[in-house]
Amino acid sequence: MMSPTAIIVVGASAGGVEALRRIVSVLPGDLNSAILITLHIGAHRSDLPWLLSRAGSLPATHPLDGEKICAGHIYVAPPDHHMLVETGYIRLTKGPRENWARPAIDPLFRSAARAYGTSVVGVILTGGLNDGTAGMFEVKARGGTTVVQDPSDSVTPNMPQSVIDHVIVDYVVPVKDIGSLLTSLVADHHATLPVNVPQTGDSQEKGMTAEFTLNHPVAVTCPDCGGALRQSELGTLTQFSCHIGHVYTAEVMLAAQFLTMERALETAMRSLSERAELCRHMSSKLPDSVASAHEREQWENARTQALDLTEPLRELLAKAWIHPVPVHSGARGDN
């Protein structure tokens, strides 16, 4: 199999399976490009390669670590692994989650942009929150082409809209037109991409550690590991990363903090309920006598106190919390 003349990287989340099937259904079998896809599937088993192979004329697989990148093939990030691009090869890693996800979109886009620069076409499809925005920023900054599914055509518009808000996008099109657009972009790109021997170690993760030491620390800890965070800016996008390598945008960080707080409140409520039950049990065991009346009263008072304190926690859990929504900046390109 020959080397591709272009690298297409695609990121999708909620609603992405059907969007991907529609795109690959119109791609020609002789497409002189490799397509690398990250869909937010977590650690769950994925049938996406099988679905995409049946949908179109290009074969799709979960790649192996160190597998050569070949034209006319679709590579799908396997469950619970980030898929990275080295020059000519694919790297798989169980590195730290980014934006609460593994596999995540940003590592794929970022590594492809650094390896192939102007030969990369980045595509962001339907999905929630904003994984993929930072990666698309890297694609654009290194001269690649940026394509976004029209938010009005998306099942969940947050991911494509975030890219439009923070990156100058080359093409914003409905999913029915993305396949033909990619075919045209690849046909216009004629340079053959280089192929190198895979290197030992993970240069992408080493670069991440170096960037962490240069950025400013903030008084916020990582929701995943509790480690110190440092803040970095990619254009108008703010990111936070810890020394282990967990990476969050501000919006995903807010969601992760909320989940951590919610779990803490639920733990406190459970502990108070268990305390109340223990007090009830101990009170019921005391004999019905004057001598034990004072002790029974103490157990009942402790039970009442525990039950009373669960109410403010219940109110906090039920509260309608404010989740800031980014103001659309209109950073869309003219194309």
Side-chain angles (χ1 to χ4, degrees):
M1 298 180 71
M2 64 181 180
S3 299
T5 60
I7 295 290
I8 299 172
V9 289
V10 185
S13 188
V17 173
E18 184 55 33
L20 289 166
R21 291 179 65 190
R22 293 187 67 181
I23 291 169
V24 303
S25 69
V26 299
L27 295 176
D30 60 350
L31 184 72
N32 197 11
S33 173
I35 302 173
L36 294 90
I37 297 171
T38 290
L39 177 73
H40 286 162
I41 57 171
H44 303 292
R45 179 177 178 273
S46 172
D47 291 324
L48 185 59
W50 180 80
L51 291 171
L52 297 184
S53 294
R54 287 175 60 86
S57 56
L58 298 177
T61 59
H62 290 311
L64 300 175
D65 184 40
E67 185 168 337
K68 181 181 177 181
I69 298 174
C70 296
H73 198 94
I74 299 172
Y75 303 92
V76 180
D80 206 28
H81 286 76
H82 294 312
M83 183 167 63
L84 308 178
V85 177
E86 298 287 353
T87 307
Y89 289 85
I90 291 172
R91 283 296 188 193
L92 301 180
T93 172
K94 292 195 71 170
R97 290 178 179 82
E98 295 198 23
N99 291 320
W100 237 355
R102 188 175 59 220
I105 299 166
D106 280 341
L108 170 61
F109 280 47
R110 181 174 63 236
S111 60
R114 294 175 182 179
Y116 289 115
T118 58
S119 296
V120 175
V121 179
V123 183
I124 291 293
L125 304 176
T126 173
L129 294 175
N130 57 8
D131 186 26
T133 299
M136 192 71 105
F137 182 92
E138 289 267 11
V139 170
K140 187 66 177 180
R142 294 174 184 267
T145 303
T146 52
V147 179
V148 172
Q149 182 180 358
D150 191 330
S152 65
D153 178 60
S154 304
V155 174
T156 307
N158 305 69
M159 272 176 28
Q161 186 62 59
S162 177
V163 175
I164 292 169
D165 291 343
H166 295 283
V167 182
I168 298 176
V169 177
D170 297 311
Y171 301 93
V172 179
V173 292
V175 71
K176 67 180 180 63
D177 296 331
I178 292 179
S180 58
L181 172 62
L182 295 177
T183 302
S184 175
L185 291 173
V186 172
D188 291 340
H189 194 90
H190 302 294
T192 301
L193 301 182
V195 177
N196 289 347
V197 176
Q199 303 173 1
T200 58
D202 193 337
S203 59
Q204 299 292 337
E205 292 182 358
K206 290 177 181 177
M208 184 187 304
T209 302
E211 290 172 6
F212 171 81
T213 61
L214 296 174
N215 295 328
H216 299 295
V218 293
V220 182
T221 57
C222 176
D224 267 303
C225 66
L229 288 171
R230 290 181 181 263
Q231 178 178 330
S232 60
E233 306 293 335
L234 290 176
T236 58
L237 184 72
T238 300
Q239 279 191 313
F240 299 91
S241 57
C242 71
H243 65 287
I244 290 177
H246 297 118
V247 180
Y248 293 90
T249 62
E251 292 80 8
V252 178
M253 170 73 75
L254 194 68
Q257 286 179 328
F258 182 81
L259 180 59
T260 300
M261 179 193 68
E262 190 175 53
R263 287 172 176 168
L265 290 172
E266 289 171 347
T267 299
M269 286 182 63
R270 186 184 69 245
S271 297
L272 287 168
S273 297
E274 290 175 354
R275 177 181 174 87
E277 177 58 24
L278 175 62
C279 292
R280 185 203 65 76
H281 177 70
M282 295 306 296
S283 174
S284 67
K285 288 182 61 177
L286 292 172
D288 189 13
S289 65
V290 175
S292 59
H294 178 65
E295 186 179 356
R296 181 182 295 106
E297 182 182 11
Q298 287 184 313
W299 283 111
E300 287 297 329
N301 287 342
R303 176 176 180 270
T304 300
Q305 181 187 51
L307 291 174
D308 288 346
L309 289 174
T310 62
E311 288 310 309
L313 298 180
R314 197 181 307 277
E315 290 178 10
L316 282 174
L317 283 172
K319 185 178 179 65
W321 291 86
I322 298 171
H323 297 281
V325 177
V327 176
H328 302 330
S329 63
R332 179 186 302 191
D334 293 330
N335 292 333

